[in-house]
């Protein structure tokens, strides 16, 4: 089973992906976590992406596609992947489909955590100080939200056309959203 958790920044994708991993034989593939690990390690890649991430812009497709490709064998061995924060552009989505097809695999389901921009901004405003992420500040968050609306949201029709898209209300408590995701998975036959 290969699942994409889809939604704007701070929608709760990471939290929900970690919960899903705990209950299943799957691995979480978060490009944001991989890039933050590269920055923490001081690697050449980390140095290249740190300014871009801090501003809230997207790093290049080639970088994240390569990061994901390197992790696909692990995900297969585990029984599947939960993609969190990837794909974020049409080029990434097409590359993911091609990489999976080349390995005889596919995306089974895309779960969109549906949240409202205005509600999202007020919900997360109080969390900036405590998150510890350099891109969790009002200026970078606006850039991240714009990147989502302009470059990532257009993937919704791409997955809808493949009949893979389901929507879950992402505005409730962590438990309520988790229940919505479980119901969507059950309805899909998982
Ligand atoms: P995230 O933790 O998913 O919110 O990602 C944090 C930041 O990492 C983003 O704002 C981007 O700068 C970068 N990033 C993570 N995943 C991607 C991706 N799939 N494509 C481009 N940039 C990404």
């Amino acid at each position: 089973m290969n699942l994409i958790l889809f939604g704007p920044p701070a929608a709760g994708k990471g939290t929900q992906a970690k919960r899903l991993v705990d209950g299943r034989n799957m691995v979480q593939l978060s490009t944001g976590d991989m890039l933050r690990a590269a920055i923490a390690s001081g690697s050449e890649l980390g140095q290249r992406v740190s300014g871009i991430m801090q501003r809230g812009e997207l790093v290049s497709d080639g970088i994240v596609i390569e990061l994901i490709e390197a992790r696909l064998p692990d995900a297969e061995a585990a029984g599947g992947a939960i993609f969190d924060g990837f794909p974020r552009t049409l080029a990434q989505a097409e590359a993911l489909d091609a990489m999976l097809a080349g390995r005889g695999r596919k995306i089974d389901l895309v779960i969109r955590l549906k949240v409202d921009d205005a509600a999202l901004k007020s919900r997360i405003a109080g969390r900036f100080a405590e998150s510890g992420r350099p891109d969790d500040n009002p200026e970078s968050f606006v850039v991240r939200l714009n990147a989502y609306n302009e470059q990532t949201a257009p993937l919704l029709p791409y997955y809808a056309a493949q009949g893979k898209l389901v929507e879950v209300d992402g505005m409730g408590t962590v438990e309520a959203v988790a229940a919505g995701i479980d119901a969507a998975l059950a309805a899909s036959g998982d």
Side-chain angles (χ1 to χ4, degrees), residues 8-10 13 30-33 35-36 49 52-61 64-65 68 84-89 92 133 135 140 144 147:
K13 300 187 295 293
S30 158
T31 40
D33 284 352
L35 292 166
R36 279 184 289 275
V49 300
I52 300 170
M53 282 178 73
Q54 201 156 335
R55 290 193 296 277
E57 296 162 8
L58 295 187
V59 309
S60 74
D61 289 333
V64 287
I65 289 167
I68 288 289
D84 157 18
F86 180 94
R88 265 176 153 97
T89 64
Q92 292 176 23
R133 274 177 58 164
D135 59 351
S140 300
R144 288 161 65 198

PDB file of all heavy atoms in Angstrom, residues 8-10 13 30-33 35-36 49 52-61 64-65 68 84-89 92 133 135 140 144 147, ligand 1:
ATOM      1  N   PRO A   8      -1.977  21.417   3.016  1.00  0.00           N
ATOM      2  CA  PRO A   8      -1.105  22.582   3.171  1.00  0.00           C
ATOM      3  C   PRO A   8      -0.170  22.436   4.359  1.00  0.00           C
ATOM      4  O   PRO A   8      -0.338  21.521   5.179  1.00  0.00           O
ATOM      5  CB  PRO A   8      -2.105  23.727   3.394  1.00  0.00           C
ATOM      6  CG  PRO A   8      -3.318  23.080   3.925  1.00  0.00           C
ATOM      7  CD  PRO A   8      -3.378  21.716   3.313  1.00  0.00           C
ATOM      8  N   PRO A   9       0.825  23.329   4.465  1.00  0.00           N
ATOM      9  CA  PRO A   9       1.727  23.277   5.617  1.00  0.00           C
ATOM     10  C   PRO A   9       0.932  23.420   6.909  1.00  0.00           C
ATOM     11  O   PRO A   9      -0.059  24.141   6.950  1.00  0.00           O
ATOM     12  CB  PRO A   9       2.643  24.491   5.407  1.00  0.00           C
ATOM     13  CG  PRO A   9       1.957  25.377   4.431  1.00  0.00           C
ATOM     14  CD  PRO A   9       1.135  24.470   3.578  1.00  0.00           C
ATOM     15  N   ALA A  10       1.369  22.680   7.923  1.00  0.00           N
ATOM     16  CA  ALA A  10       0.746  22.726   9.255  1.00  0.00           C
ATOM     17  C   ALA A  10      -0.650  22.120   9.290  1.00  0.00           C
ATOM     18  O   ALA A  10      -1.409  22.337  10.227  1.00  0.00           O
ATOM     19  CB  ALA A  10       0.727  24.143   9.824  1.00  0.00           C
ATOM     20  N   LYS A  13      -0.020  16.691   8.557  1.00  0.00           N
ATOM     21  CA  LYS A  13       0.398  15.522   7.764  1.00  0.00           C
ATOM     22  C   LYS A  13       1.427  14.684   8.529  1.00  0.00           C
ATOM     23  O   LYS A  13       1.317  13.463   8.586  1.00  0.00           O
ATOM     24  CB  LYS A  13       1.010  15.948   6.419  1.00  0.00           C
ATOM     25  CG  LYS A  13       0.077  16.748   5.525  1.00  0.00           C
ATOM     26  CD  LYS A  13       0.687  16.994   4.147  1.00  0.00           C
ATOM     27  CE  LYS A  13       1.925  17.855   4.163  1.00  0.00           C
ATOM     28  NZ  LYS A  13       1.677  19.271   4.570  1.00  0.00           N
ATOM     29  N   SER A  30       9.128  11.514   4.476  1.00  0.00           N
ATOM     30  CA  SER A  30       8.923  12.958   4.554  1.00  0.00           C
ATOM     31  C   SER A  30      10.141  13.662   3.980  1.00  0.00           C
ATOM     32  O   SER A  30      11.229  13.604   4.568  1.00  0.00           O
ATOM     33  CB  SER A  30       8.719  13.378   6.020  1.00  0.00           C
ATOM     34  OG  SER A  30       9.018  14.755   6.190  1.00  0.00           O
ATOM     35  N   THR A  31       9.965  14.324   2.832  1.00  0.00           N
ATOM     36  CA  THR A  31      11.105  15.031   2.242  1.00  0.00           C
ATOM     37  C   THR A  31      11.543  16.183   3.149  1.00  0.00           C
ATOM     38  O   THR A  31      12.736  16.487   3.232  1.00  0.00           O
ATOM     39  CB  THR A  31      10.771  15.532   0.822  1.00  0.00           C
ATOM     40  OG1 THR A  31       9.427  16.020   0.806  1.00  0.00           O
ATOM     41  CG2 THR A  31      10.929  14.438  -0.198  1.00  0.00           C
ATOM     42  N   GLY A  32      10.578  16.813   3.859  1.00  0.00           N
ATOM     43  CA  GLY A  32      10.944  17.883   4.791  1.00  0.00           C
ATOM     44  C   GLY A  32      11.878  17.351   5.880  1.00  0.00           C
ATOM     45  O   GLY A  32      12.907  17.962   6.187  1.00  0.00           O
ATOM     46  N   ASP A  33      11.530  16.180   6.459  1.00  0.00           N
ATOM     47  CA  ASP A  33      12.397  15.583   7.495  1.00  0.00           C
ATOM     48  C   ASP A  33      13.771  15.244   6.912  1.00  0.00           C
ATOM     49  O   ASP A  33      14.802  15.442   7.557  1.00  0.00           O
ATOM     50  CB  ASP A  33      11.779  14.294   8.058  1.00  0.00           C
ATOM     51  CG  ASP A  33      10.628  14.572   9.027  1.00  0.00           C
ATOM     52  OD1 ASP A  33      10.411  15.757   9.372  1.00  0.00           O
ATOM     53  OD2 ASP A  33       9.953  13.601   9.434  1.00  0.00           O
ATOM     54  N   LEU A  35      15.306  16.662   4.387  1.00  0.00           N
ATOM     55  CA  LEU A  35      16.065  17.895   4.135  1.00  0.00           C
ATOM     56  C   LEU A  35      16.550  18.504   5.448  1.00  0.00           C
ATOM     57  O   LEU A  35      17.684  18.979   5.540  1.00  0.00           O
ATOM     58  CB  LEU A  35      15.192  18.896   3.366  1.00  0.00           C
ATOM     59  CG  LEU A  35      14.842  18.485   1.931  1.00  0.00           C
ATOM     60  CD1 LEU A  35      13.713  19.357   1.374  1.00  0.00           C
ATOM     61  CD2 LEU A  35      16.072  18.598   1.027  1.00  0.00           C
ATOM     62  N   ARG A  36      15.705  18.452   6.493  1.00  0.00           N
ATOM     63  CA  ARG A  36      16.144  18.987   7.794  1.00  0.00           C
ATOM     64  C   ARG A  36      17.303  18.157   8.344  1.00  0.00           C
ATOM     65  O   ARG A  36      18.241  18.697   8.945  1.00  0.00           O
ATOM     66  CB  ARG A  36      14.973  19.029   8.798  1.00  0.00           C
ATOM     67  CG  ARG A  36      14.075  20.251   8.606  1.00  0.00           C
ATOM     68  CD  ARG A  36      12.975  20.334   9.651  1.00  0.00           C
ATOM     69  NE  ARG A  36      11.957  19.318   9.454  1.00  0.00           N
ATOM     70  CZ  ARG A  36      10.923  19.453   8.620  1.00  0.00           C
ATOM     71  NH1 ARG A  36      10.766  20.560   7.915  1.00  0.00           N
ATOM     72  NH2 ARG A  36      10.044  18.475   8.483  1.00  0.00           N
ATOM     73  N   VAL A  49      20.265  23.792   0.562  1.00  0.00           N
ATOM     74  CA  VAL A  49      18.817  23.993   0.711  1.00  0.00           C
ATOM     75  C   VAL A  49      18.427  24.858   1.907  1.00  0.00           C
ATOM     76  O   VAL A  49      17.267  25.283   1.997  1.00  0.00           O
ATOM     77  CB  VAL A  49      18.062  22.640   0.795  1.00  0.00           C
ATOM     78  CG1 VAL A  49      18.285  21.825  -0.469  1.00  0.00           C
ATOM     79  CG2 VAL A  49      18.435  21.853   2.041  1.00  0.00           C
ATOM     80  N   ILE A  52      16.787  28.327   1.196  1.00  0.00           N
ATOM     81  CA  ILE A  52      15.516  28.161   0.473  1.00  0.00           C
ATOM     82  C   ILE A  52      14.416  27.737   1.447  1.00  0.00           C
ATOM     83  O   ILE A  52      13.318  28.291   1.459  1.00  0.00           O
ATOM     84  CB  ILE A  52      15.673  27.067  -0.624  1.00  0.00           C
ATOM     85  CG1 ILE A  52      16.760  27.470  -1.614  1.00  0.00           C
ATOM     86  CG2 ILE A  52      14.349  26.801  -1.320  1.00  0.00           C
ATOM     87  CD1 ILE A  52      17.152  26.358  -2.596  1.00  0.00           C
ATOM     88  N   MET A  53      14.745  26.752   2.297  1.00  0.00           N
ATOM     89  CA  MET A  53      13.749  26.253   3.251  1.00  0.00           C
ATOM     90  C   MET A  53      13.377  27.318   4.269  1.00  0.00           C
ATOM     91  O   MET A  53      12.212  27.459   4.622  1.00  0.00           O
ATOM     92  CB  MET A  53      14.280  25.012   3.961  1.00  0.00           C
ATOM     93  CG  MET A  53      14.191  23.779   3.096  1.00  0.00           C
ATOM     94  SD  MET A  53      14.862  22.345   3.928  1.00  0.00           S
ATOM     95  CE  MET A  53      13.607  21.995   5.148  1.00  0.00           C
ATOM     96  N   GLN A  54      14.383  28.034   4.738  1.00  0.00           N
ATOM     97  CA  GLN A  54      14.121  29.070   5.743  1.00  0.00           C
ATOM     98  C   GLN A  54      13.138  30.113   5.204  1.00  0.00           C
ATOM     99  O   GLN A  54      12.280  30.597   5.922  1.00  0.00           O
ATOM    100  CB  GLN A  54      15.437  29.735   6.125  1.00  0.00           C
ATOM    101  CG  GLN A  54      15.366  30.436   7.462  1.00  0.00           C
ATOM    102  CD  GLN A  54      16.755  30.574   8.073  1.00  0.00           C
ATOM    103  OE1 GLN A  54      17.668  29.800   7.788  1.00  0.00           O
ATOM    104  NE2 GLN A  54      16.916  31.573   8.911  1.00  0.00           N
ATOM    105  N   ARG A  55      13.258  30.430   3.919  1.00  0.00           N
ATOM    106  CA  ARG A  55      12.351  31.422   3.323  1.00  0.00           C
ATOM    107  C   ARG A  55      10.969  30.842   3.061  1.00  0.00           C
ATOM    108  O   ARG A  55      10.022  31.575   2.806  1.00  0.00           O
ATOM    109  CB  ARG A  55      12.938  31.943   2.000  1.00  0.00           C
ATOM    110  CG  ARG A  55      14.169  32.824   2.173  1.00  0.00           C
ATOM    111  CD  ARG A  55      14.518  33.574   0.884  1.00  0.00           C
ATOM    112  NE  ARG A  55      14.901  32.683  -0.209  1.00  0.00           N
ATOM    113  CZ  ARG A  55      16.130  32.184  -0.382  1.00  0.00           C
ATOM    114  NH1 ARG A  55      17.077  32.477   0.465  1.00  0.00           N
ATOM    115  NH2 ARG A  55      16.395  31.385  -1.407  1.00  0.00           N
ATOM    116  N   GLY A  56      10.852  29.520   3.063  1.00  0.00           N
ATOM    117  CA  GLY A  56       9.551  28.891   2.822  1.00  0.00           C
ATOM    118  C   GLY A  56       9.315  28.523   1.377  1.00  0.00           C
ATOM    119  O   GLY A  56       8.211  28.121   0.995  1.00  0.00           O
ATOM    120  N   GLU A  57      10.376  28.656   0.545  1.00  0.00           N
ATOM    121  CA  GLU A  57      10.228  28.309  -0.876  1.00  0.00           C
ATOM    122  C   GLU A  57      10.451  26.811  -1.079  1.00  0.00           C
ATOM    123  O   GLU A  57      10.999  26.130  -0.209  1.00  0.00           O
ATOM    124  CB  GLU A  57      11.273  29.094  -1.700  1.00  0.00           C
ATOM    125  CG  GLU A  57      11.051  30.598  -1.643  1.00  0.00           C
ATOM    126  CD  GLU A  57      12.296  31.378  -2.058  1.00  0.00           C
ATOM    127  OE1 GLU A  57      13.273  30.762  -2.534  1.00  0.00           O
ATOM    128  OE2 GLU A  57      12.276  32.603  -1.885  1.00  0.00           O
ATOM    129  N   LEU A  58      10.071  26.317  -2.248  1.00  0.00           N
ATOM    130  CA  LEU A  58      10.293  24.905  -2.559  1.00  0.00           C
ATOM    131  C   LEU A  58      11.718  24.693  -3.055  1.00  0.00           C
ATOM    132  O   LEU A  58      12.232  25.500  -3.834  1.00  0.00           O
ATOM    133  CB  LEU A  58       9.319  24.421  -3.646  1.00  0.00           C
ATOM    134  CG  LEU A  58       7.835  24.412  -3.295  1.00  0.00           C
ATOM    135  CD1 LEU A  58       7.041  23.750  -4.425  1.00  0.00           C
ATOM    136  CD2 LEU A  58       7.569  23.704  -1.976  1.00  0.00           C
ATOM    137  N   VAL A  59      12.356  23.605  -2.641  1.00  0.00           N
ATOM    138  CA  VAL A  59      13.654  23.235  -3.205  1.00  0.00           C
ATOM    139  C   VAL A  59      13.392  22.578  -4.565  1.00  0.00           C
ATOM    140  O   VAL A  59      12.249  22.259  -4.909  1.00  0.00           O
ATOM    141  CB  VAL A  59      14.467  22.310  -2.259  1.00  0.00           C
ATOM    142  CG1 VAL A  59      14.540  22.883  -0.860  1.00  0.00           C
ATOM    143  CG2 VAL A  59      13.883  20.917  -2.216  1.00  0.00           C
ATOM    144  N   SER A  60      14.449  22.370  -5.343  1.00  0.00           N
ATOM    145  CA  SER A  60      14.223  21.933  -6.725  1.00  0.00           C
ATOM    146  C   SER A  60      13.679  20.503  -6.774  1.00  0.00           C
ATOM    147  O   SER A  60      13.960  19.667  -5.899  1.00  0.00           O
ATOM    148  CB  SER A  60      15.508  22.052  -7.537  1.00  0.00           C
ATOM    149  OG  SER A  60      16.391  21.035  -7.160  1.00  0.00           O
ATOM    150  N   ASP A  61      12.908  20.255  -7.830  1.00  0.00           N
ATOM    151  CA  ASP A  61      12.308  18.927  -8.010  1.00  0.00           C
ATOM    152  C   ASP A  61      13.370  17.835  -7.998  1.00  0.00           C
ATOM    153  O   ASP A  61      13.188  16.776  -7.392  1.00  0.00           O
ATOM    154  CB  ASP A  61      11.548  18.883  -9.346  1.00  0.00           C
ATOM    155  CG  ASP A  61      10.280  19.717  -9.327  1.00  0.00           C
ATOM    156  OD1 ASP A  61       9.702  19.906  -8.236  1.00  0.00           O
ATOM    157  OD2 ASP A  61       9.870  20.186 -10.404  1.00  0.00           O
ATOM    158  N   VAL A  64      14.489  16.577  -4.418  1.00  0.00           N
ATOM    159  CA  VAL A  64      13.558  15.748  -3.627  1.00  0.00           C
ATOM    160  C   VAL A  64      13.233  14.428  -4.331  1.00  0.00           C
ATOM    161  O   VAL A  64      13.030  13.399  -3.676  1.00  0.00           O
ATOM    162  CB  VAL A  64      12.275  16.524  -3.243  1.00  0.00           C
ATOM    163  CG1 VAL A  64      12.571  17.546  -2.157  1.00  0.00           C
ATOM    164  CG2 VAL A  64      11.608  17.188  -4.430  1.00  0.00           C
ATOM    165  N   ILE A  65      13.217  14.459  -5.656  1.00  0.00           N
ATOM    166  CA  ILE A  65      12.945  13.207  -6.388  1.00  0.00           C
ATOM    167  C   ILE A  65      14.060  12.194  -6.093  1.00  0.00           C
ATOM    168  O   ILE A  65      13.804  11.008  -5.844  1.00  0.00           O
ATOM    169  CB  ILE A  65      12.808  13.490  -7.908  1.00  0.00           C
ATOM    170  CG1 ILE A  65      11.489  14.233  -8.175  1.00  0.00           C
ATOM    171  CG2 ILE A  65      12.872  12.190  -8.719  1.00  0.00           C
ATOM    172  CD1 ILE A  65      11.377  14.839  -9.575  1.00  0.00           C
ATOM    173  N   ILE A  68      13.700  10.738  -2.584  1.00  0.00           N
ATOM    174  CA  ILE A  68      12.628   9.731  -2.507  1.00  0.00           C
ATOM    175  C   ILE A  68      13.053   8.435  -3.191  1.00  0.00           C
ATOM    176  O   ILE A  68      12.856   7.327  -2.663  1.00  0.00           O
ATOM    177  CB  ILE A  68      11.325  10.280  -3.145  1.00  0.00           C
ATOM    178  CG1 ILE A  68      10.698  11.352  -2.249  1.00  0.00           C
ATOM    179  CG2 ILE A  68      10.333   9.159  -3.456  1.00  0.00           C
ATOM    180  CD1 ILE A  68      10.085  10.854  -0.957  1.00  0.00           C
ATOM    181  N   ASP A  84       4.745  12.021   2.767  1.00  0.00           N
ATOM    182  CA  ASP A  84       4.336  13.173   3.586  1.00  0.00           C
ATOM    183  C   ASP A  84       5.134  14.390   3.112  1.00  0.00           C
ATOM    184  O   ASP A  84       6.340  14.445   3.285  1.00  0.00           O
ATOM    185  CB  ASP A  84       4.619  12.791   5.054  1.00  0.00           C
ATOM    186  CG  ASP A  84       4.803  13.975   5.981  1.00  0.00           C
ATOM    187  OD1 ASP A  84       4.403  15.093   5.623  1.00  0.00           O
ATOM    188  OD2 ASP A  84       5.344  13.770   7.084  1.00  0.00           O
ATOM    189  N   GLY A  85       4.460  15.312   2.435  1.00  0.00           N
ATOM    190  CA  GLY A  85       5.161  16.500   1.925  1.00  0.00           C
ATOM    191  C   GLY A  85       5.796  16.274   0.565  1.00  0.00           C
ATOM    192  O   GLY A  85       6.553  17.106   0.074  1.00  0.00           O
ATOM    193  N   PHE A  86       5.495  15.189  -0.052  1.00  0.00           N
ATOM    194  CA  PHE A  86       5.956  14.840  -1.396  1.00  0.00           C
ATOM    195  C   PHE A  86       4.859  13.994  -2.045  1.00  0.00           C
ATOM    196  O   PHE A  86       4.349  13.098  -1.371  1.00  0.00           O
ATOM    197  CB  PHE A  86       7.252  14.027  -1.334  1.00  0.00           C
ATOM    198  CG  PHE A  86       7.789  13.639  -2.706  1.00  0.00           C
ATOM    199  CD1 PHE A  86       8.724  14.417  -3.351  1.00  0.00           C
ATOM    200  CD2 PHE A  86       7.324  12.492  -3.353  1.00  0.00           C
ATOM    201  CE1 PHE A  86       9.199  14.074  -4.622  1.00  0.00           C
ATOM    202  CE2 PHE A  86       7.778  12.143  -4.617  1.00  0.00           C
ATOM    203  CZ  PHE A  86       8.729  12.935  -5.241  1.00  0.00           C
ATOM    204  N   PRO A  87       4.486  14.229  -3.293  1.00  0.00           N
ATOM    205  CA  PRO A  87       4.973  15.246  -4.208  1.00  0.00           C
ATOM    206  C   PRO A  87       4.343  16.613  -3.945  1.00  0.00           C
ATOM    207  O   PRO A  87       3.247  16.704  -3.400  1.00  0.00           O
ATOM    208  CB  PRO A  87       4.537  14.707  -5.571  1.00  0.00           C
ATOM    209  CG  PRO A  87       3.290  13.932  -5.290  1.00  0.00           C
ATOM    210  CD  PRO A  87       3.467  13.348  -3.929  1.00  0.00           C
ATOM    211  N   ARG A  88       5.044  17.686  -4.344  1.00  0.00           N
ATOM    212  CA  ARG A  88       4.542  19.050  -4.158  1.00  0.00           C
ATOM    213  C   ARG A  88       4.409  19.783  -5.487  1.00  0.00           C
ATOM    214  O   ARG A  88       3.971  20.931  -5.498  1.00  0.00           O
ATOM    215  CB  ARG A  88       5.514  19.832  -3.292  1.00  0.00           C
ATOM    216  CG  ARG A  88       5.172  19.842  -1.795  1.00  0.00           C
ATOM    217  CD  ARG A  88       6.302  20.573  -1.110  1.00  0.00           C
ATOM    218  NE  ARG A  88       6.009  21.236   0.103  1.00  0.00           N
ATOM    219  CZ  ARG A  88       6.225  20.712   1.315  1.00  0.00           C
ATOM    220  NH1 ARG A  88       6.626  19.483   1.458  1.00  0.00           N
ATOM    221  NH2 ARG A  88       6.012  21.441   2.384  1.00  0.00           N
ATOM    222  N   THR A  89       4.809  19.186  -6.578  1.00  0.00           N
ATOM    223  CA  THR A  89       4.643  19.808  -7.911  1.00  0.00           C
ATOM    224  C   THR A  89       4.209  18.692  -8.875  1.00  0.00           C
ATOM    225  O   THR A  89       4.397  17.491  -8.584  1.00  0.00           O
ATOM    226  CB  THR A  89       5.967  20.398  -8.458  1.00  0.00           C
ATOM    227  OG1 THR A  89       6.894  19.314  -8.659  1.00  0.00           O
ATOM    228  CG2 THR A  89       6.575  21.420  -7.506  1.00  0.00           C
ATOM    229  N   GLN A  92       7.028  16.437  -9.779  1.00  0.00           N
ATOM    230  CA  GLN A  92       7.321  15.431  -8.741  1.00  0.00           C
ATOM    231  C   GLN A  92       6.299  14.289  -8.790  1.00  0.00           C
ATOM    232  O   GLN A  92       6.652  13.117  -8.635  1.00  0.00           O
ATOM    233  CB  GLN A  92       7.312  16.070  -7.352  1.00  0.00           C
ATOM    234  CG  GLN A  92       8.451  17.051  -7.110  1.00  0.00           C
ATOM    235  CD  GLN A  92       8.361  17.732  -5.757  1.00  0.00           C
ATOM    236  OE1 GLN A  92       7.741  17.235  -4.821  1.00  0.00           O
ATOM    237  NE2 GLN A  92       8.993  18.895  -5.632  1.00  0.00           N
ATOM    238  N   ARG A 133      11.249  25.473  14.386  1.00  0.00           N
ATOM    239  CA  ARG A 133      11.592  25.409  12.957  1.00  0.00           C
ATOM    240  C   ARG A 133      11.851  26.810  12.422  1.00  0.00           C
ATOM    241  O   ARG A 133      11.016  27.698  12.620  1.00  0.00           O
ATOM    242  CB  ARG A 133      10.442  24.754  12.174  1.00  0.00           C
ATOM    243  CG  ARG A 133      10.529  23.252  12.137  1.00  0.00           C
ATOM    244  CD  ARG A 133       9.356  22.639  11.419  1.00  0.00           C
ATOM    245  NE  ARG A 133       9.186  23.102  10.044  1.00  0.00           N
ATOM    246  CZ  ARG A 133       8.436  22.485   9.148  1.00  0.00           C
ATOM    247  NH1 ARG A 133       7.803  21.369   9.474  1.00  0.00           N
ATOM    248  NH2 ARG A 133       8.319  22.952   7.933  1.00  0.00           N
ATOM    249  N   ASP A 135      11.472  27.928   9.596  1.00  0.00           N
ATOM    250  CA  ASP A 135      10.478  28.385   8.618  1.00  0.00           C
ATOM    251  C   ASP A 135       9.096  28.519   9.250  1.00  0.00           C
ATOM    252  O   ASP A 135       8.119  28.754   8.556  1.00  0.00           O
ATOM    253  CB  ASP A 135      10.437  27.457   7.393  1.00  0.00           C
ATOM    254  CG  ASP A 135      10.113  26.012   7.742  1.00  0.00           C
ATOM    255  OD1 ASP A 135      10.073  25.666   8.944  1.00  0.00           O
ATOM    256  OD2 ASP A 135       9.904  25.219   6.802  1.00  0.00           O
ATOM    257  N   SER A 140       7.621  33.424   6.515  1.00  0.00           N
ATOM    258  CA  SER A 140       7.877  32.188   5.760  1.00  0.00           C
ATOM    259  C   SER A 140       6.600  31.377   5.594  1.00  0.00           C
ATOM    260  O   SER A 140       6.415  30.702   4.576  1.00  0.00           O
ATOM    261  CB  SER A 140       8.925  31.329   6.467  1.00  0.00           C
ATOM    262  OG  SER A 140      10.121  32.038   6.591  1.00  0.00           O
ATOM    263  N   ARG A 144       5.121  29.647   2.307  1.00  0.00           N
ATOM    264  CA  ARG A 144       4.824  28.202   2.231  1.00  0.00           C
ATOM    265  C   ARG A 144       3.380  27.969   1.784  1.00  0.00           C
ATOM    266  O   ARG A 144       3.102  27.076   0.969  1.00  0.00           O
ATOM    267  CB  ARG A 144       5.073  27.544   3.599  1.00  0.00           C
ATOM    268  CG  ARG A 144       6.562  27.439   3.929  1.00  0.00           C
ATOM    269  CD  ARG A 144       6.806  27.224   5.417  1.00  0.00           C
ATOM    270  NE  ARG A 144       6.297  25.958   5.920  1.00  0.00           N
ATOM    271  CZ  ARG A 144       6.084  25.706   7.214  1.00  0.00           C
ATOM    272  NH1 ARG A 144       6.315  26.630   8.126  1.00  0.00           N
ATOM    273  NH2 ARG A 144       5.644  24.525   7.584  1.00  0.00           N
ATOM    274  N   ALA A 147       3.105  28.739  -1.869  1.00  0.00           N
ATOM    275  CA  ALA A 147       3.704  27.652  -2.662  1.00  0.00           C
ATOM    276  C   ALA A 147       2.719  26.498  -2.750  1.00  0.00           C
ATOM    277  O   ALA A 147       2.539  25.882  -3.811  1.00  0.00           O
ATOM    278  CB  ALA A 147       5.019  27.192  -2.031  1.00  0.00           C
TER     279      ALA A 147
HETATM  280  P1  LIG B   1       7.692  20.212   5.232  1.00  0.00           P
HETATM  281  O1  LIG B   1       8.370  19.688   6.455  1.00  0.00           O
HETATM  282  O2  LIG B   1       7.080  19.146   4.395  1.00  0.00           O
HETATM  283  O3  LIG B   1       6.707  21.333   5.549  1.00  0.00           O
HETATM  284  O4  LIG B   1       8.827  20.866   4.318  1.00  0.00           O
HETATM  285  C1  LIG B   1       9.612  21.934   4.798  1.00  0.00           C
HETATM  286  C2  LIG B   1      10.308  22.623   3.633  1.00  0.00           C
HETATM  287  O5  LIG B   1      11.167  21.700   2.961  1.00  0.00           O
HETATM  288  C3  LIG B   1       9.404  23.165   2.552  1.00  0.00           C
HETATM  289  O6  LIG B   1       8.884  24.451   2.846  1.00  0.00           O
HETATM  290  C4  LIG B   1      10.354  23.199   1.343  1.00  0.00           C
HETATM  291  O7  LIG B   1      11.267  24.273   1.450  1.00  0.00           O
HETATM  292  C5  LIG B   1      11.144  21.909   1.547  1.00  0.00           C
HETATM  293  N1  LIG B   1      10.476  20.747   0.932  1.00  0.00           N
HETATM  294  C6  LIG B   1      10.014  19.630   1.574  1.00  0.00           C
HETATM  295  N2  LIG B   1       9.475  18.758   0.712  1.00  0.00           N
HETATM  296  C7  LIG B   1       9.576  19.342  -0.516  1.00  0.00           C
HETATM  297  C8  LIG B   1       9.181  18.941  -1.823  1.00  0.00           C
HETATM  298  N3  LIG B   1       8.526  17.770  -2.039  1.00  0.00           N
HETATM  299  N4  LIG B   1       9.459  19.785  -2.857  1.00  0.00           N
HETATM  300  C9  LIG B   1      10.102  20.952  -2.660  1.00  0.00           C
HETATM  301  N5  LIG B   1      10.483  21.396  -1.450  1.00  0.00           N
HETATM  302  C10 LIG B   1      10.237  20.600  -0.376  1.00  0.00           C
END
